[in-house]
Amino acid sequence: MTEILRIDQLSISPAHAPERTLVKQVSFALQRGKTTCIVGESGSGKSLTALSVMKLLSPQLRMQGQVFFQGQDISQLNETTMQHLRGRQMGMIFQEPMTSLNPVLTIGFQIGEPLQTHLGLKGQALKQKVAALLEQVGIDPARADSYPDELSGGQRQRVMIAMSIACEPALLIADEPTTALDVTVQAQVLRLLDDLKNRLHMAMLFITHDFGVVADIADEVIVMFRGEIVESGSVAQVLQSPQHPYTRALLACVPDAEGKKVLQPMTYDWLAPA
Amino acid sequence: MTDILLQARHLNKTYSQRTGTLGLNSHTIHALADVNLQLKRGTTLAVVGESGSGKSTLARGILRLLPLDSGEVIFDGQDFLALDKNALRTARRHIQMVFQDPFASLNPRMRIGDIIAEGLVIHRIGNAQQQHDSVVQMLKKVGLQADDARKYPHQFSGGQRQRIGIARALILQPKLLVCDEPVSALDVSVQAQILLLLKQLQQEMGLSYLFITHDLRVVRHIADDVLVMQKGKVIEQGSVETIYNAPQQKYTQQLLSAIPGHGLRAITA
């Protein structure tokens, strides 16, 4: 099966104000071995969409529509089953590597945790697997006993990546994984993620606000604005001939290294009726 | 009056770090090693480098927010490092700073109007009515509303807070604005707005910017001159065209090739 995830008419609204929709009738599918980028500004609903895939939405939010993960409707699954899926079949990487790692546990322990919980590894086998994972993400396995504060931002994000791919999930969700990083480190982390996606043949859902990053990593692009998908298609399609005025406006405000482009501030003029 | 607003010569700053068993050994880290720079009036000098390259130490050293080991800073014809406490306070009026994190750099318990007016109060400029008027004027200048003065920082988005930070810095009509990663924490779409605002204000008020960033993409759109730092040393400097079109150092080339969107150029070319 190549289709890993299918979202059908997903809507999210606050429980106390059902008339306000934060995410509105979003539908898309993710294929194995492909990276799909959700692009949008803060508040466009991109992170909420990702969280709902893992059933991690705040209880104050109500979700409608269906999410099928490997053919299973996740709304039918109970919390225990979801716990088996998260970390095992679905991995997730967050924006802030410092806040998502536990400061009082060694990175080796934290990478080993999903391996113990989901695969029952222990002792020497566990140690070896942790070392292999560290190696895979480009960290010296001898650093397994280090604590998060002993690592740089880029190294911490590599640790997060090692944790999320430890059980070789079918789906990897990366929510702005490089936003907090320096440009050079960002380039390395993007290359690493792309490489792992190919090696493990995962489907990757990558959330970003930066079209520059999209161009470097995406196969498919989904553009979200105020909770709705305004445009989607292959990366070449969307970047070469953006159809929606919002996509064009987002592209116009990405600075280019040549400095040829005249930067345009974000406009919402197109929202007003002509 | 020369056309050089800021000149720094042979700046050095070292930290010693304890290492080894029980921290008994120590070794010296050169945060700044013989750094020289000059900033022309009305232009933007970008200082580029990765985390740990010393770019923020440089800014703080120049502003005397951090003691330097040695070196000379000439600001507007004055030996800035030799100023006594009172003279320094007066001179600081002409150098203001915009910080990276618009969430951490605004006091959450103060109203926007008071945050922006604080510089005027400290330097005793104008009476209450005049101060209020300049706050309103400044708010409008950075694209906010007059009644935003009564609100608190949490009522604003990241981009709006950065506008507040800029208004706070510019109310004293400084000559030099030091921007330490002012757009790194913002969405790309908001980044463009802030960059355009900074450019516009530079023209209107004749400002000079010392612009610190790790993002060479941003530099291309704001800077006139660029200084590339690595491990406390200036490894390359020149006009923005020279640095981008003919980078001499391998490290500069690496920084340039790390800019995201190579794919974007290939696709949209």
Side-chain angles (χ1 to χ4, degrees):
Chain A
M1 188 172 57
T2 60
E3 188 180 277
I4 297 294
L5 182 83
R6 195 153 59 84
I7 294 183
D8 218 2
Q9 301 281 314
L10 174 77
S11 294
I12 300 172
S13 34
H16 63 87
E19 71 286 353
R20 275 182 59 209
T21 40
L22 305 174
V23 170
K24 200 172 173 188
Q25 291 176 338
V26 162
S27 305
F28 62 87
L30 301 183
Q31 312 293 330
R32 216 177 239 290
K34 294 258 191 246
T35 299
T36 303
C37 277
I38 305 187
V39 198
E41 294 173 276
S42 313
S44 59
K46 52 195 200 304
S47 292
L48 282 181
T49 304
L51 287 174
S52 62
V53 169
M54 304 191 92
K55 267 180 117 173
L56 285 175
L57 279 182
S58 144
Q60 276 134 42
L61 295 174
R62 293 280 173 274
M63 172 185 144
Q64 282 179 330
Q66 282 165 308
V67 176
F68 295 95
F69 179 69
Q70 296 189 312
Q72 265 185 314
D73 182 352
I74 65 157
S75 66
Q76 306 300 317
L77 304 177
N78 60 22
E79 187 50 29
T80 325
T81 322
M82 278 314 293
Q83 278 173 8
H84 287 304
L85 281 182
R86 288 185 211 123
R88 174 74 190 88
Q89 298 282 349
M90 311 168 159
M92 182 143 186
I93 308 164
F94 301 92
Q95 178 172 349
E96 276 292 334
M98 196 58 220
T99 44
S100 29
L101 290 171
N102 188 332
V104 298
L105 298 173
T106 64
I107 58 164
F109 181 84
Q110 295 186 65
I111 294 171
E113 232 176 353
L115 296 167
Q116 289 180 36
T117 322
H118 296 296
L119 307 180
L121 288 188
K122 44 186 154 188
Q124 210 51 40
L126 178 64
K127 248 189 172 159
Q128 276 168 12
K129 180 71 187 167
V130 168
L133 279 164
L134 279 171
E135 190 130 36
Q136 216 171 1
V137 296
I139 295 180
D140 181 0
R143 302 212 60 176
D145 294 326
S146 302
Y147 289 90
D149 71 284
E150 297 172 274
L151 304 177
S152 69
Q155 286 174 323
R156 284 181 207 141
Q157 203 55 294
R158 288 172 190 271
V159 170
M160 281 298 300
I161 294 170
M163 283 168 71
S164 65
I165 59 151
C167 300
E168 308 196 351
L171 169 67
L172 184 64
I173 300 177
D175 191 354
E176 307 234 15
T178 60
T179 306
L181 305 176
D182 265 16
V183 175
T184 37
V185 183
Q186 162 167 294
Q188 293 161 7
V189 169
L190 288 179
R191 216 171 308 131
L192 172 68
L193 281 171
D194 195 47
D195 182 42
L196 289 170
K197 178 212 73 180
N198 290 332
R199 230 186 301 165
L200 303 174
H201 208 48
M202 300 180 287
M204 180 149 76
L205 183 63
F206 193 102
I207 297 174
T208 178
H209 60 84
D210 188 341
F211 257 118
V213 171
V214 172
D216 287 348
I217 198 159
D219 298 302
E220 302 285 323
V221 184
I222 294 169
V223 185
M224 282 186 78
F225 176 66
R226 297 195 184 162
E228 286 180 80
I229 295 182
V230 294
E231 179 158 6
S232 62
S234 75
V235 66
Q237 237 172 23
V238 173
L239 295 185
Q240 252 166 21
S241 46
Q243 297 300 308
H244 197 276
Y246 179 68
T247 314
R248 288 200 285 267
L250 257 189
L251 277 164
C253 58
V254 182
D256 61 325
E258 286 78 24
K260 282 181 195 144
K261 187 157 92 182
V262 180
L263 273 194
Q264 301 285 342
M266 194 66 196
T267 60
Y268 303 99
D269 298 347
W270 48 273
L271 276 174
Chain B
M1 237 169 51
T2 59
D3 64 336
I4 305 291
L5 178 67
L6 175 76
Q7 184 151 35
R9 290 194 206 110
H10 310 298
L11 301 186
N12 283 290
K13 172 77 188 170
T14 53
Y15 295 104
S16 66
Q17 195 178 50
R18 288 182 179 280
T19 51
T21 321
L22 299 174
L24 289 176
N25 300 321
S26 70
H27 71 275
T28 314
I29 296 171
H30 286 269
L32 296 177
D34 197 31
V35 173
N36 296 288
L37 66 83
Q38 79 184 24
L39 170 61
K40 293 190 219 77
R41 247 173 242 282
T43 68
T44 300
L45 172 66
V47 180
V48 190
E50 294 175 274
S51 315
S53 60
K55 55 192 196 302
S56 291
T57 306
L58 175 65
R60 279 158 200 273
I62 288 173
L63 287 170
R64 284 183 67 180
L65 294 171
L66 187 91
L68 292 167
D69 295 348
S70 63
E72 192 184 23
V73 176
I74 310 287
F75 173 70
D76 209 13
Q78 269 183 313
D79 182 354
F80 195 67
L81 297 183
L83 298 177
D84 65 27
K85 225 174 155 185
N86 288 328
L88 177 63
R89 178 175 292 181
T90 321
R92 275 231 177 102
R93 193 191 144 175
H94 302 293
I95 307 185
Q96 292 292 317
M97 191 155 178
V98 175
F99 299 93
Q100 172 171 7
D101 190 342
F103 293 86
S105 53
L106 300 176
N107 186 336
R109 295 172 185 226
M110 280 171 77
R111 291 180 196 271
I112 300 311
D114 296 331
I115 291 175
I116 296 176
E118 207 175 18
L120 295 175
V121 175
I122 289 171
H123 290 280
R124 300 208 180 91
I125 299 167
N127 60 29
Q129 186 56 44
Q130 286 165 334
Q131 289 178 355
H132 175 77
D133 291 346
S134 12
V135 167
V136 169
Q137 209 188 350
M138 210 56 237
L139 278 169
K140 287 188 181 145
K141 230 178 186 147
V142 298
L144 295 168
Q145 312 284 327
D147 44 330
D148 286 336
R150 286 201 303 271
K151 296 183 186 161
Y152 287 94
H154 73 264
Q155 293 171 280
F156 295 90
S157 68
Q160 286 173 322
R161 281 185 223 207
Q162 207 54 302
R163 288 173 193 268
I164 295 166
I166 293 170
R168 187 202 57 76
L170 293 185
I171 195 141
L172 290 165
Q173 308 200 307
K175 292 174 182 154
L176 171 64
L177 192 65
V178 178
C179 307
D180 192 356
E181 304 260 14
V183 297
S184 314
L186 306 174
D187 264 21
V188 169
S189 56
V190 184
Q191 254 183 29
Q193 293 170 357
I194 299 294
L195 290 175
L196 290 164
L197 174 68
L198 284 171
K199 268 188 156 172
Q200 183 200 333
L201 291 170
Q202 179 166 46
Q203 280 175 4
E204 282 176 21
M205 303 177 67
L207 298 163
S208 310
Y209 293 154
L210 186 64
F211 196 97
I212 294 166
T213 182
H214 67 264
D215 191 344
L216 273 169
R217 217 166 33 154
V218 167
V219 170
R220 192 72 172 99
H221 287 267
I222 190 113
D224 299 294
D225 295 292
V226 184
L227 187 130
V228 183
M229 286 189 71
Q230 186 187 27
K231 294 179 184 159
K233 289 197 185 81
V234 174
I235 59 159
E236 186 160 5
Q237 55 183 316
S239 75
V240 76
E241 272 77 27
T242 344
I243 297 282
Y244 279 76
N245 297 333
Q248 297 303 309
Q249 298 294 323
K250 198 157 176 262
Y251 181 68
T252 313
Q253 289 161 10
Q254 275 173 13
L255 281 177
L256 282 166
S257 67
I259 296 176
H262 285 288
L264 192 63
R265 289 199 285 291
I267 289 168
T268 53

